[in-house]
Amino acid sequence: MLKSTALLSASLFAIVKGQGIGTNLAETHPSLSWSKCTTAGGCVSTAGSVVLDANWRWVHNAAFTNCYTGNQWDATICPDPTTCAANCQLDGAAYSSTYGITSSGNALTLNFVTGSNVGSRVYLMASNTAYQMFKPINQEFTFTVDLSTLPCGLNGALYFSEMASDGGSAAHPTNKAGAEYGTGYCDSQCPHDIKFINGAANMLNWTATSTNSGTGMYGSCCSEMDIWEANSISAAYTPHPCTSTGLLECSGSTCTSTCDQAGCDFNSYRWGDLNYYGPGMTVDTTKPFTVVTQFISSTGTASGTLSEIRRLYIQNGVTIQNSVTNIPGLTTYNSVSDAFCKAQKAATGDTDTFETMGGMAGMGAAMARGMVLVLSIWDDYAVDMLWLDSDYPTTASATAPGVARGTCATSSGKPATVEAAGS
């Protein structure tokens, strides 16, 4: 469940060499069970847990002085990236009271605003020190969600990213915290707001972007499969292949030429079915529903090439087939494939970076290597989430193919507004 809160043993002064582990609060991962099902064996429950991403954590030195406060690094503790990583420690998280993250059985709730905290990002764990890895080709992934209180401008997301199972600690020994403390994040947008990348502080050229965040010189790139990006108004699923393998630390133009940042999305509203998803519609977002995503193999086996990604919904015991495209210049499709992606780019006039960055085969190659499950709730300081639920780009005619993505106003989604409403 993803919702907005308004609706929805070491010495105390031990010095840890490297991006270390703090001692103020013991890290206790919230439990989260999940099931793996087969035709022959039925469903077997697994006792898992989730871990909070390192970016949200208190980072301090051995004397408990902040390494990072608000949107700035401490110049004394962090004179350079290597020294900063050696001086700083990631501490345990108070999941419920500070971050609004709670779990019960196989249900997870992420509140949007809790006190001064905004949003969160968590990963499914296989053990206390390793992420659960998924290789979903020739399988389906299913979850049930309640987005009834998630308004315009918010995004309750569930997706796969090609992160290292240990959070990058083996490849970068200065990262002592590892997966246990949520390190090693990357995605196809090559985000520059990650505070530590590959065991070093991303502090060079740091520029504040809000009262609590900023961006550094380096980005953190990897392939990403967005199974679900949604609020109560709009939803999309989107593969984003990259030409790199695993996490690539990028700078300059490499950050915009390595991954398919636009992706090949299937948003029912964007592709012409205006009454399919939303309050009171075919998929009624005022009530919980189940999302089914099928990763089809070219050979019908897990070793085949990813050829198609299908979507189904289940609500009130009824299986709902995906919507079909209905816009000028786009042949009828109801799933994501190389043919659909090529056709949608032609219909909208968008550059086909999906094919350039590897297409379905590239996305499948990342899946075959293994990906981490990410769950998050967030708002958008860049473009107010208009790319998901409104007309975007705002300079284009709303009647042009692919511009209208939902019924939210182009003035909606301002972080200041949605954060105030969520407090």
Side-chain angles (χ1 to χ4, degrees):
M1 181 187 295
L2 301 158
K3 66 180 183 179
S4 168
T5 53
L7 317 164
L8 84 165
S9 161
S11 167
L12 187 63
F13 296 104
I15 296 177
V16 181
K17 293 298 183 182
Q19 185 186 350
I21 298 172
T23 59
N24 181 68
L25 180 64
E27 175 68 10
T28 303
H29 300 146
S31 61
L32 184 68
S33 63
W34 61 284
S35 296
K36 185 170 185 177
C37 306
T38 63
T39 302
C43 296
V44 177
S45 180
T46 297
S49 63
V50 294
V51 62
L52 178 69
D53 180 275
N55 245 34
W56 270 259
R57 295 175 180 272
W58 181 25
V59 56
H60 57 78
N61 68 1
F64 297 99
T65 300
N66 291 349
C67 295
Y68 182 95
T69 302
N71 55 25
Q72 295 296 327
W73 295 91
D74 184 287
T76 301
I77 300 172
C78 293
D80 61 76
T82 302
T83 303
C84 186
N87 286 340
C88 295
Q89 306 170 6
L90 293 171
D91 224 308
Y95 281 83
S96 177
S97 61
T98 300
Y99 301 102
I101 300 169
T102 57
S103 64
S104 177
N106 64 357
L108 177 71
T109 298
L110 304 179
N111 287 340
F112 177 52
V113 176
T114 302
S116 61
N117 180 73
V118 176
S120 61
R121 184 167 62 225
V122 300
Y123 312 114
L124 186 65
M125 302 293 284
S127 70
N128 200 45
T129 58
Y131 301 132
Q132 179 68 49
M133 304 303 290
F134 288 87
K135 299 180 178 182
I137 296 177
N138 201 46
Q139 300 179 65
E140 66 179 34
F141 188 94
T142 301
F143 65 99
T144 298
V145 66
D146 182 354
L147 295 174
S148 58
T149 59
L150 213 63
C152 296
L154 293 189
N155 188 333
L158 183 152
Y159 55 105
F160 290 135
S161 280
E162 197 188 351
M163 299 161 58
S165 62
D166 64 355
S169 58
H172 305 282
T174 52
N175 174 5
K176 306 295 184 183
E180 184 176 3
Y181 286 79
T183 68
Y185 182 70
C186 55
D187 66 36
S188 62
Q189 302 307 307
C190 303
H192 286 249
D193 65 341
I194 308 303
K195 295 187 181 82
F196 292 89
I197 303 175
N198 290 344
N202 186 25
M203 56 178 288
L204 300 179
N205 297 347
W206 189 262
T207 303
T209 55
S210 76
T211 57
N212 294 306
S213 63
T215 57
M217 176 184 293
Y218 299 106
S220 187
C221 309
C222 68
S223 294
E224 172 186 1
M225 174 64 223
D226 290 326
I227 296 176
W228 187 248
E229 290 194 286
N231 53 39
S232 61
I233 304 302
S234 295
Y237 72 100
T238 312
H240 296 268
C242 300
T243 56
S244 56
T245 297
L247 188 160
L248 173 70
E249 182 179 34
C250 72
S251 63
S253 61
T254 303
C255 298
T256 56
S257 61
T258 298
C259 297
D260 173 27
Q261 297 185 333
C264 175
D265 67 298
F266 199 109
N267 173 330
S268 296
Y269 192 99
R270 186 185 186 201
W271 304 127
D273 195 331
L274 310 186
N275 300 299
Y276 181 77
Y277 178 95
M281 297 187 183
T282 303
V283 179
D284 183 0
T285 58
T286 66
K287 305 171 184 178
F289 53 90
T290 298
V291 182
V292 182
T293 309
Q294 300 174 330
F295 300 95
I296 308 304
S297 163
S298 59
T299 62
T301 66
S303 61
T305 301
L306 180 68
S307 60
E308 184 183 7
I309 306 172
R310 299 175 184 166
R311 167 57 49 85
L312 302 167
Y313 297 93
I314 303 171
Q315 191 169 45
N316 298 325
V318 177
T319 299
I320 305 170
Q321 299 297 318
N322 197 26
S323 61
V324 297
T325 55
N326 182 30
I327 66 167
L330 185 60
T331 305
T332 300
Y333 294 93
N334 69 348
S335 65
V336 173
S337 63
D338 281 328
F340 163 72
C341 297
K342 191 175 187 66
Q344 66 139 281
K345 301 300 183 183
T348 60
D350 294 340
T351 302
D352 191 0
T353 51
F354 180 75
E355 181 179 26
T356 303
M357 300 300 171
M360 295 295 283
M363 188 73 255
M367 292 179 178
R369 291 189 293 264
M371 306 186 82
V372 173
L373 180 66
V374 187
L375 303 98
S376 71
I377 184 168
W378 60 288
D379 56 355
D380 183 0
Y381 276 78
V383 295
D384 305 333
M385 215 70 73
L386 301 181
W387 58 268
L388 175 65
D389 58 23
S390 185
D391 298 336
Y392 189 78
T394 56
T395 54
S397 170
T399 61
V403 172
R405 298 143 190 265
T407 58
C408 296
T410 54
S411 59
S412 69
K414 303 295 184 193
T417 302
V418 295
E419 289 171 18
S423 60

